């Protein structure tokens, strides 16, 4: 049984393969197919964007697909950057230190200091246009008083995780995967497919 994981990110694919390792499912990334133009992520929620991406790639490849959408919600900024996490601050803030500076400036302007925040991951499993399964994972934390650590990616250096008293960028890759929003969502998918492998037609 083949399942397309709708990502070109090799790190994500490796992490997801690790979670699914005991299932008899061949996980392939988008790299296994001729290049397909990316869809516009027009949804207003993570779940909508995950569904939209999964249906888009599954209908174009003819293979069941799982897609995820993720991002950071900062309570002191009304949930920003949210679904706009990847493009927050526009083209001038393409690098993350610039996005961090915008976040600290906006938090200061609102006297929000060290705001509570969470990473969210929504995933959707589909076969063509048909939705098979959805899951969501979250990890709760705070915005660190300053960026710390050089592991991980994206907003990890400013996400302080209280149980470890470290930012996610200071955790090892395996430890992060064990607690992260994405790890949780894909472990839910794993548990669903362990019980319902028949949804992935042979
Ligand atoms: P996408 O769902 O891969 O498009 O990711 C959306 C954006 O959310 C990423 O580009 C990052 O900015 C942010 N993001 C999602 N997950 C993480 C994470 O685990 N650490 C840091 N940033 C993340």
């Amino acid at each position: 049984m083949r399942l397309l994981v709708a990502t070109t990110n090799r790190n994500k694919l490796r992490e997801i393969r690790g979670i699914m390792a005991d299932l008899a499912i061949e996980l392939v990334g988008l790299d296994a197919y001729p290049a397909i133009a990316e869809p516009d992520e027009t949804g207003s929620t993570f779940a909508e964007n995950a569904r939209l991406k999964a249906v888009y790639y599954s209908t174009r490849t003819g293979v069941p697909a799982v897609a995820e959408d993720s991002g950071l919600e900062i309570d002191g900024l009304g949930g920003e950057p949210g679904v706009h996490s990847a493009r927050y601050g526009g083209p001038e803030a393409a690098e993350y230190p610039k996005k961090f500076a915008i976040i600290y400036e906006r938090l200061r302007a609102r006297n929000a200091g060290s705001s509570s925040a969470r990473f969210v991951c929504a995933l959707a499993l589909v076969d063509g246009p048909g939705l098979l399964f959805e899951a969501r994972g979250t990890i709760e934390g705070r915005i660190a008083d300053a960026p710390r650590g050089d592991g991980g990616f994206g907003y990890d250096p400013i996400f302080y995780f209280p149980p470890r008293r470290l930012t996610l960028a200071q955790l090892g890759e395996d430890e992060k995967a064990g607690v992260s929003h994405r790890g949780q969502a894909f472990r839910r998918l794993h548990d669903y497919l362990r019980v319902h492998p028949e949804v992935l037609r042979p």
Side-chain angles (χ1 to χ4, degrees):
M1 284 183 288
R2 185 173 246 229
L3 174 60
L4 171 64
V5 182
T7 184
T8 51
N9 183 320
R10 292 187 164 275
N11 294 324
K12 278 191 192 170
L13 190 58
R14 194 180 59 223
E15 182 184 335
I16 294 163
R17 280 192 173 131
I19 293 170
M20 303 290 183
D22 66 327
L23 303 180
I25 297 171
E26 184 199 0
L27 296 174
V28 294
L30 285 170
D31 291 349
Y33 293 87
I36 302 172
E38 284 179 25
D40 288 334
E41 296 183 20
T42 51
S44 56
T45 63
F46 296 112
E48 273 179 55
N49 280 332
R51 282 197 292 268
L52 167 162
K53 284 191 263 189
V55 168
Y56 177 90
Y57 287 110
S58 180
T59 51
R60 274 160 186 80
T61 57
V63 173
V66 59
E68 56 105 37
D69 195 44
S70 55
L72 176 65
E73 290 180 349
I74 303 175
D75 294 328
L77 299 182
E80 280 184 24
V83 292
H84 308 294
S85 292
R87 283 164 217 83
Y88 195 56
E92 307 89 71
E95 284 128 37
Y96 278 87
K98 295 201 175 132
K99 296 190 201 302
F100 302 164
I102 294 172
I103 286 169
Y104 284 119
E105 194 182 296
R106 291 186 181 169
L107 283 173
R108 259 196 309 275
R110 296 192 191 193
N111 273 326
S114 158
S115 171
S116 53
R118 72 198 54 76
F119 279 115
V120 180
C121 173
L123 68 73
L125 173 70
V126 307
D127 190 359
L131 182 65
L132 300 173
F133 179 74
E134 288 182 290
R136 180 181 163 95
T138 58
I139 177 172
E140 298 286 335
R142 307 192 70 77
I143 298 305
D145 52 6
R148 287 204 178 80
D150 46 24
F153 72 101
Y155 296 95
D156 283 344
I158 64 162
F159 190 87
Y160 178 77
F161 182 50
R164 293 286 285 112
R165 299 187 180 200
L166 294 170
T167 69
L168 286 191
Q170 294 173 300
L171 297 188
E173 198 178 311
D174 289 348
E175 193 179 0
K176 180 184 163 186
V179 293
S180 79
H181 48 313
R182 194 169 299 103
Q184 287 175 40
F186 277 90
R187 280 191 291 278
R188 292 195 175 116
L189 176 67
H190 166 276
D191 293 351
Y192 172 77
L193 288 174
R194 187 161 44 83
V195 179
H196 297 287
E198 75 284 353
V199 299
L200 301 181
R201 58 207 154 83

